[in-house]
Amino acid sequence: MNIPFFTDYLMLSNPLSIGIIAVFVLALIGIYVLQRKGTSFGNLVIIGTIVGAVLGIAVQIIAGFPDDPSKVVYIKESTKWFSLVGGGFIDLIRMLVIPIVFISIVHVILHMEAGANLKKLVVAMVSTNLGMVAVAAIVGLVLGNAFGLGQGFDIVESGKKIREIKPMVDTFRALIPSNPIQAAAETNVIGIVVFAIILGSVARLLKKTGTNSMEIFTKLFDELHQLISWVADFIIGLMPYGVVALLASTLATRGLQAILDMGLFVVLLYVGLLIMFVVQAILIASFGYNPITYFKKAKAPLLLAFTSRSSMGVLPLTVETLTKRLGVNATTANTVASFGTTAGMQGCAGVFPALVVVYISNVANIPFDLTMYIMSVIVIAIGSVGIAGVPGTATMAASVSLSGTGLGAYFTSISPILAIDPLIDMGRTCLNVSGSLTNALVVDKIMGTIDKDAYNNPNEGRV
């Protein structure tokens, strides 16, 4: 059916496209039936992940593992329809990000107990986030150098341009929103956090001093918070359907050859991520938490992060998991989790740029000495501030790291890595979200506001 109406508008010009989409719809119906039968939310998410993986791999098998799946008509058409469910789910989640961050932070500040220390919270949050990114960078640098990542590769040219490096002062100043409306429109989460903290703190001060009871203002945010929480519950409930489409689309659209060409990079990246998961487990265990309990209760946001590839998109579920299942204080959960979508991402802005720096260093035959190690760790940690938590922005983190270590001229040589970015981005994002969760647990323990009984409660409930 080589007719524009079918090829360009409906995107249903091939019988295989219709067959794949029919299987996809049946999979969604199956999940709906299981949901109606009372299957737990966590199990539904796992089932959705397995079904999506099987469907994506099956499409690749049918196509014979093509080098460029985007040129296969039925893959292009079926994944476009997958995006209606998967992309639509992510759009709904991202729709919540700004209102839920702003409303939640103002709400929790208005209801903070007397004597709560915001300064201590911010210091603990920043030091924990950047410290863990530094550890992630060291893991990536050691792995890359130990296995000679990039040795034997020639310099590759591509059309990608490096991000212009900005002075550190400008990077931090950019986090202050000169226009909160613009910050909301641009999904500048840190800007919204800053604005919400100032607004909530001043309102709380007015109440505390007796200048104004702020009764109407407080009631408004109480009702807004209840409303946005119910909206979040509804949208998060759609997650099992979303992960089927997201994972199926990602696996179906990646060529096998692209993975094989950069096999060592993929392996080292995931080994580095696994090491960081162990580091996180050790960290929270040292603060008195049971790591097994943590991973059991955190599986829903981690699976969503893996399939959606968006730290920011998972934010509402991250906050809900922290407050409702891990016993973290609402103030800590909202502040640390929001900060973690833009700064201190251990996967996208830690392990990944470290491996890229080693790869480019070896490709360009530049010695990697102790000075380079120290400079790389510092640049990667500081550069992690201000990297937006949306798919693909790890490339920006890599460009900042390369510029800061004097390798900016070789940025175009990372094109083989960009070819496999969606596959490695799944693992990176999963570590990012786990980092936000574990950092929040550590910070809340430092603040002394953690509810250990809620954390240790074996009842999983519904996220």
Side-chain angles (χ1 to χ4, degrees):
M1 292 186 290
N2 192 20
I3 302 172
F5 177 75
F6 291 102
T7 59
D8 300 328
Y9 183 67
L10 285 183
M11 297 195 74
L12 289 173
S13 64
N14 190 294
L16 278 173
S17 301
I18 298 173
I20 293 169
I21 293 170
V23 172
F24 173 65
V25 171
L26 287 175
L28 297 183
I29 292 174
I31 289 178
Y32 175 75
V33 171
L34 291 174
Q35 189 176 41
R36 295 284 292 180
K37 288 184 177 180
T39 305
S40 71
F41 179 75
N43 288 337
L44 283 175
V45 173
I46 293 174
I47 292 169
T49 302
I50 295 172
V51 170
V54 170
L55 181 57
I57 294 171
V59 171
Q60 277 276 309
I61 293 173
I62 292 171
F65 295 101
D67 291 339
D68 189 357
S70 64
K71 293 182 179 179
V72 180
V73 173
Y74 52 85
I75 292 181
K76 180 181 178 182
E77 292 182 345
S78 59
T79 53
K80 173 61 75 172
W81 280 94
F82 290 174
S83 70
L84 177 63
V85 177
F89 173 68
I90 293 301
D91 290 340
L92 287 173
I93 288 287
R94 295 190 67 191
M95 175 187 73
L96 283 175
V97 171
I98 293 302
I100 204 168
V101 168
F102 177 69
I103 292 170
S104 297
I105 288 180
V106 174
H107 177 263
V108 296
I109 290 177
L110 287 172
H111 292 278
M112 282 174 63
E113 296 179 1
N117 193 336
L118 274 177
K119 179 181 177 181
K120 182 180 178 182
L121 171 63
V122 172
V123 171
M125 174 182 69
V126 173
S127 58
T128 302
N129 272 264
L130 299 189
M132 287 299 288
V133 172
V135 173
I138 293 171
V139 168
L141 293 172
V142 171
L143 280 175
N145 279 294
F147 289 89
L149 182 62
Q151 292 179 0
F153 280 80
D154 296 324
I155 292 179
V156 180
E157 296 296 327
S158 76
K160 290 287 182 179
K161 293 184 178 180
I162 196 162
R163 181 185 184 184
E164 182 181 354
I165 192 72
K166 293 194 302 183
M168 187 192 307
V169 173
D170 291 345
T171 299
F172 284 111
R173 185 179 171 188
L175 301 179
I176 303 173
S178 59
N179 183 339
I181 304 301
Q182 183 181 1
E186 296 175 350
T187 322
N188 179 359
V189 176
I190 297 298
I192 294 301
V193 169
V194 171
F195 179 63
I197 288 176
I198 293 174
L199 183 67
S201 298
V202 172
R204 183 167 175 262
L205 181 62
L206 288 172
K207 289 175 62 177
K208 185 177 179 181
T209 59
T211 306
N212 191 314
S213 66
M214 303 300 290
E215 182 178 350
I216 297 176
F217 184 81
T218 302
K219 185 177 180 181
L220 170 65
F221 274 88
D222 286 345
E223 295 185 351
L224 285 173
H225 185 261
Q226 183 179 23
L227 176 62
I228 201 68
S229 297
W230 279 56
V231 172
D233 281 342
F234 168 74
I235 294 176
I236 290 170
L238 302 175
M239 178 180 164
Y241 306 94
V243 296
V244 174
L246 290 165
L247 193 53
S249 181
T250 298
L251 295 181
T253 53
R254 304 315 302 170
L256 181 63
Q257 191 59 45
I259 303 171
L260 295 177
D261 288 344
M262 292 300 295
L264 180 60
F265 192 97
V266 174
V267 170
L268 292 182
L269 188 281
Y270 276 93
V271 169
L273 300 183
L274 289 174
I275 291 173
M276 283 308 300
F277 278 119
V278 173
V279 171
Q280 291 174 357
I282 294 172
L283 176 68
I284 61 175
S286 67
F287 276 81
Y289 300 103
N290 185 331
I292 296 176
T293 300
Y294 162 71
F295 284 111
K296 182 179 179 181
K297 292 191 172 187
K299 63 184 178 183
L302 296 185
L303 282 172
L304 178 57
F306 187 83
T307 53
S308 70
R309 298 168 41 222
S310 175
S311 303
M312 193 174 294
V314 186
L315 179 59
L317 183 56
T318 302
V319 173
E320 195 164 335
T321 301
L322 285 169
T323 55
K324 294 186 177 180
R325 303 185 67 183
L326 295 174
V328 175
N329 177 271
T331 304
T332 305
N334 281 280
T335 307
V336 177
S338 299
F339 184 82
T341 64
T342 304
M345 293 187 290
Q346 296 169 32
C348 288
V351 177
F352 175 71
L355 287 174
V356 170
V357 167
V358 175
Y359 172 82
I360 293 299
S361 179
N362 286 328
V363 165
N365 293 315
I366 296 174
F368 211 97
D369 55 15
L370 181 60
T371 301
M372 191 67 166
Y373 262 105
I374 296 172
M375 181 169 60
S376 297
V377 172
I378 294 173
V379 168
I380 290 170
I382 298 299
S384 70
V385 177
I387 303 299
V390 295
T393 49
T395 306
M396 296 298 100
S399 71
V400 170
S401 299
L402 290 174
S403 293
T405 53
L407 300 174
Y410 302 99
F411 179 74
T412 54
S413 297
I414 72 168
S415 56
I417 298 172
L418 299 181
I420 56 166
D421 190 75
L423 288 179
I424 58 179
D425 197 33
M426 294 189 294
R428 290 184 316 218
T429 309
C430 186
L431 181 64
N432 293 343
V433 172
S434 183
S436 290
L437 291 165
T438 54
N439 288 346
L441 286 168
V442 170
V443 171
D444 213 36
K445 185 64 179 289
I446 293 173
M447 297 297 294
T449 51
I450 186 75
D451 184 349
K452 287 296 292 289
D453 291 335
Y455 181 92
N456 293 320
N457 187 347
N459 182 22
E460 289 192 31
R462 212 218 94 181
V463 184

